[in-house]
Coordinates of all heavy atoms in Angstrom, one line a residue:
R193 N -230.8 -2.0 133.6 CA -229.4 -2.5 133.6 C -229.4 -3.8 134.4 O -228.7 -4.7 134.0 CB -228.6 -1.4 134.3 CG -227.1 -1.8 134.4 CD -226.2 -0.7 134.6 NE -224.9 -1.2 134.9 CZ -223.9 -0.4 135.4 NH1 -224.1 0.9 135.6 NH2 -222.7 -0.9 135.6
L194 N -230.2 -3.9 135.5 CA -230.2 -5.1 136.3 C -230.7 -6.3 135.4 O -230.1 -7.4 135.4 CB -231.2 -4.9 137.4 CG -231.3 -6.0 138.4 CD1 -230.1 -6.0 139.4 CD2 -232.6 -5.8 139.3
M195 N -231.8 -6.1 134.7 CA -232.4 -7.2 134.0 C -231.6 -7.5 132.7 O -231.5 -8.6 132.3 CB -233.9 -6.8 133.6 CG -234.7 -6.7 134.8 SD -234.6 -8.0 136.0 CE -235.6 -9.2 135.1
R196 N -231.0 -6.5 132.1 CA -230.1 -6.7 131.0 C -229.0 -7.7 131.3 O -228.6 -8.5 130.5 CB -229.6 -5.4 130.5 CG -228.6 -5.5 129.3 CD -227.9 -4.2 129.0 NE -227.0 -4.5 127.9 CZ -226.8 -3.8 126.8 NH1 -227.4 -2.7 126.7 NH2 -225.9 -4.2 125.9
A197 N -228.6 -7.6 132.6 CA -227.5 -8.4 133.0 C -227.8 -9.9 132.9 O -227.0 -10.8 132.8 CB -227.1 -8.1 134.5
L198 N -229.1 -10.2 133.0 CA -229.5 -11.6 132.9 C -229.2 -12.2 131.5 O -229.1 -13.4 131.4 CB -231.0 -11.8 133.2 CG -231.4 -11.7 134.7 CD1 -232.9 -11.7 134.9 CD2 -230.7 -12.8 135.6
F199 N -229.0 -11.3 130.5 CA -228.7 -11.8 129.2 C -227.2 -12.2 129.0 O -226.8 -12.7 128.0 CB -229.2 -10.8 128.1 CG -230.6 -10.9 127.8 CD1 -231.6 -10.3 128.7 CD2 -231.1 -11.7 126.8 CE1 -232.9 -10.5 128.4 CE2 -232.4 -11.8 126.5 CZ -233.4 -11.2 127.3
S200 N -226.5 -12.0 130.1 CA -225.1 -12.5 130.1 C -225.0 -14.0 130.5 O -223.9 -14.6 130.4 CB -224.2 -11.7 131.0 OG -224.1 -10.4 130.5
Y201 N -226.1 -14.5 131.0 CA -226.1 -16.0 131.3 C -226.5 -16.8 130.1 O -227.0 -16.2 129.1 CB -227.1 -16.2 132.4 CG -226.7 -15.6 133.8 CD1 -227.2 -14.4 134.2 CD2 -225.9 -16.3 134.6 CE1 -226.8 -13.8 135.4 CE2 -225.5 -15.8 135.8 CZ -225.9 -14.6 136.2 OH -225.5 -14.0 137.4
D202 N -226.3 -18.1 130.1 CA -226.7 -19.0 129.0 C -228.1 -19.5 129.4 O -228.9 -19.7 128.5 CB -225.7 -20.1 128.8 CG -224.3 -19.5 128.4 OD1 -224.3 -19.1 127.2 OD2 -223.4 -19.5 129.2
V203 N -228.3 -19.9 130.7 CA -229.6 -20.4 131.1 C -230.0 -19.5 132.3 O -229.3 -19.3 133.2 CB -229.5 -21.9 131.5 CG1 -230.8 -22.4 132.1 CG2 -229.0 -22.7 130.4
V204 N -231.3 -19.1 132.3 CA -231.9 -18.4 133.4 C -233.1 -19.2 133.9 O -234.1 -19.4 133.1 CB -232.3 -17.0 133.0 CG1 -232.9 -16.3 134.3 CG2 -231.1 -16.2 132.5
G205 N -233.0 -19.8 135.1 CA -234.1 -20.6 135.6 C -235.0 -19.9 136.6 O -234.5 -19.1 137.4
F206 N -236.3 -20.2 136.6 CA -237.2 -19.7 137.5 C -238.0 -20.8 138.2 O -238.0 -21.9 137.8 CB -238.2 -18.8 136.8 CG -237.6 -17.6 136.1 CD1 -237.2 -17.7 134.7 CD2 -237.3 -16.4 136.8 CE1 -236.6 -16.6 134.1 CE2 -236.7 -15.4 136.1 CZ -236.3 -15.5 134.8
Q207 N -238.7 -20.4 139.3 CA -239.4 -21.5 140.0 C -240.7 -21.9 139.4 O -241.2 -23.0 139.5 CB -239.8 -20.9 141.4 CG -238.6 -20.6 142.3 CD -238.1 -21.8 143.1 OE1 -238.2 -22.9 142.7 NE2 -237.5 -21.5 144.2
S208 N -241.4 -20.9 138.6 CA -242.7 -21.3 138.1 C -242.9 -20.7 136.7 O -242.2 -19.8 136.3 CB -243.8 -20.7 139.1 OG -243.7 -19.3 138.9
R209 N -244.0 -21.2 136.1 CA -244.3 -20.7 134.7 C -244.7 -19.3 134.8 O -244.5 -18.5 133.9 CB -245.4 -21.6 134.1 CG -245.0 -23.0 133.8 CD -246.1 -23.8 133.1 NE -247.3 -23.9 133.9 CZ -247.6 -24.8 134.8 NH1 -246.7 -25.7 135.1 NH2 -248.7 -24.8 135.4
T210 N -245.4 -18.9 135.9 CA -245.8 -17.5 136.1 C -244.6 -16.6 136.1 O -244.6 -15.6 135.4 CB -246.5 -17.4 137.5 OG1 -247.6 -18.3 137.5 CG2 -247.0 -16.0 137.7
D211 N -243.5 -17.0 136.8 CA -242.3 -16.2 136.8 C -241.7 -16.1 135.4 O -241.2 -15.0 135.0 CB -241.3 -16.8 137.7 CG -241.7 -16.8 139.2 OD1 -242.5 -16.0 139.6 OD2 -241.3 -17.7 139.9
V212 N -241.7 -17.2 134.7 CA -241.1 -17.1 133.3 C -241.9 -16.1 132.4 O -241.4 -15.3 131.7 CB -241.1 -18.5 132.6 CG1 -240.5 -18.4 131.2 CG2 -240.2 -19.5 133.4
G213 N -243.2 -16.2 132.6 CA -244.1 -15.3 131.9 C -243.8 -13.9 132.1 O -243.7 -13.0 131.2
H214 N -243.6 -13.5 133.4 CA -243.3 -12.1 133.8 C -242.0 -11.7 133.2 O -241.8 -10.6 132.7 CB -243.3 -12.0 135.3 CG -244.6 -12.1 135.9 ND1 -244.8 -12.4 137.3 CD2 -245.9 -12.0 135.4 CE1 -246.1 -12.5 137.5 NE2 -246.8 -12.2 136.4

Side-chain angles (χ1 to χ4, degrees):
R193 183 159 169 195
L194 184 77
M195 298 308 284
R196 178 186 176 139
L198 286 175
F199 279 82
S200 294
Y201 290 95
D202 296 290
V203 176
V204 179
F206 299 93
Q207 297 274 28
S208 68
R209 294 187 300 275
T210 305
D211 296 332
V212 178
H214 291 161

